[in-house]
Amino acid sequence: MTSPVFPFTAVVGQDGLRHALTLCAVDPAVGGVLALGDRGTGKSTTVRGLAQLLAREDLDMPVVDLPLGASEDRVLGSLDIDRALRGEIAYAPGLLAAAHGGILYIDEVNLLDDYLVDLLLDVAASGVNTVERDGISHTHPARFVLVGSGNPEEGELRPQLEDRFGLSTPVATIRDVEQRWEIVRRRLAFERDPRGFLAEWAEREERLAARIRLARDRCADVDLEDDLLEAAVRLCVDAGAVGHRAELVLVRAARAAAALAGRPAVTVHDLAAVAVPALQHRTPRTALEPVSAAAARVRVAATAVLGRRVA
């Protein structure tokens, strides 16, 4: 029997993480979420809550964990030993096959072994996984939303992998006493009566799931005027974003935000709302410079280009 999952909408705080995950649920092409910050801040709880919420509307995005010490065979797939003993040659799917169409979640992603990073980069670039083992050559689609979390104090993330995450958001310990009190109250209530707690939040979960479904259906039809596309490109240039993936992520996230809000076209507000999570991890910074400094530069550039203050 599957254990109850804490509701996505009941997570206190962490608005940036929840919004970024929601945008990726609307359009997986946004490219996933990188959540770096303090341990014990509900990152994995939030990711799993989203998967449960989407299942309510038959928008299944299963969450598959990629452990740090996973073998290459476990990640890519390998020879099916049971069938091999019967004289058959068959492929046994790995974690990447299980994650197709869902979320591949990596906790402590900054501690991931280099060989696993290389595997992920290859598959993420092509959307296809090819396995060759003991006379078997097998290819299958492997398109997934990549979600990674970790504490930056424990190690740096390779720039090539960092760039593969569409959006990035810091996840910090909440300092507000009332919010921390509410976190404890909700968690204890959930542990005491999981079914009752889920029932209490069911309506809010259903409303958000329905909004995501509608947004998915209309996202491709959301209009992006040339002047806003030009503004998005200029914003990337002025913020110093490295690579051309920045513009694509920025406009895809803005389009998803517009679809979620029910707007027929992307607005300046939509671009401003996604500028920092789309660009802060693509802006060069010195070794001792915190991510907040890069975020500040993006805000300054966005304010100048878009003519509005970016939170």
Side-chain angles (χ1 to χ4, degrees):
M1 183 175 179
T2 305
S3 300
V5 177
F6 194 83
F8 183 75
T9 54
V11 174
V12 177
Q14 314 307 0
D15 295 341
L17 175 57
R18 288 193 296 159
H19 186 57
L21 289 170
T22 302
L23 294 180
C24 288
V26 171
D27 182 7
V30 169
V33 182
L34 175 63
L36 296 179
D38 301 333
R39 65 180 68 86
T41 48
K43 297 183 287 290
S44 60
T45 296
T46 306
V47 174
R48 298 184 196 292
L50 176 68
Q52 175 181 259
L53 179 145
L54 295 175
R56 289 177 175 273
E57 287 284 314
D58 294 325
L59 298 172
D60 288 344
M61 291 184 74
V63 177
V64 175
D65 289 284
L66 195 159
L68 293 181
S71 67
E72 183 175 339
D73 282 352
R74 186 178 179 191
V75 176
L76 297 180
S78 63
L79 183 67
D80 187 324
I81 299 300
D82 291 337
R83 296 177 67 179
L85 292 174
R86 299 196 299 267
E88 302 177 35
I89 298 178
Y91 168 74
L95 296 176
L96 296 185
H100 179 60
I103 295 171
L104 185 65
Y105 178 58
I106 312 169
D107 194 15
E108 298 186 283
V109 63
N110 48 325
L111 303 181
L112 198 64
D113 290 337
D114 283 346
Y115 84 94
L116 286 179
V117 172
D118 292 336
L119 291 177
L120 283 178
L121 289 174
D122 288 343
V123 176
S126 64
V128 173
N129 179 35
T130 300
V131 185
E132 295 184 357
R133 294 284 189 279
D134 301 315
I136 297 176
S137 181
H138 182 81
T139 299
H140 66 80
R143 296 183 179 85
F144 43 79
V145 174
L146 188 61
V147 178
S149 63
N151 186 341
E153 295 179 356
E154 297 175 351
E156 292 293 324
L157 189 65
R158 277 176 55 178
Q160 299 96 322
L161 182 57
E162 186 176 43
D163 186 56
R164 278 292 164 186
F165 291 94
L167 306 174
S168 172
T169 180
V171 181
T173 301
I174 294 173
R175 301 299 177 188
D176 181 80
V177 172
E178 290 187 5
Q179 281 194 312
R180 290 183 72 139
W181 177 87
E182 185 63 17
I183 289 171
V184 175
R185 189 194 71 79
R186 291 185 188 181
R187 189 69 207 187
L188 292 177
F190 173 71
E191 293 174 357
R192 182 173 59 252
D193 181 12
R195 289 183 180 275
F197 192 84
L198 291 174
E200 180 184 346
W201 287 86
E203 185 177 348
R204 275 164 283 201
E205 293 276 287
E206 290 168 3
R207 283 202 304 265
L208 180 55
R211 281 183 61 204
I212 291 172
R213 171 180 280 283
L214 288 174
R216 274 192 177 189
D217 292 342
R218 61 192 172 209
C219 190
D221 296 324
V222 172
D223 194 26
L224 177 66
E225 298 289 345
D226 285 346
D227 60 336
L228 284 180
L229 178 57
E230 181 182 353
V233 173
R234 186 173 297 280
L235 172 53
C236 293
V237 172
D238 288 5
V242 175
H244 300 295
R245 189 174 286 114
E247 289 93 335
L248 290 172
V249 171
L250 182 61
V251 297
R252 283 171 179 159
R255 180 174 278 150
L260 194 63
R263 286 188 282 273
V266 174
T267 67
V268 171
H269 172 80
D270 297 317
L271 283 176
V274 301
V276 171
L279 303 180
Q280 63 182 342
H281 58 306
R282 295 184 167 86
T283 301
R285 57 184 187 272
T286 63
L288 300 178
E289 196 174 38
V291 176
S292 58
R297 285 196 292 273
V298 174
R299 290 189 186 96
V300 170
T303 300
V305 172
L306 303 177
R308 62 181 297 124
R309 186 174 180 81
V310 178

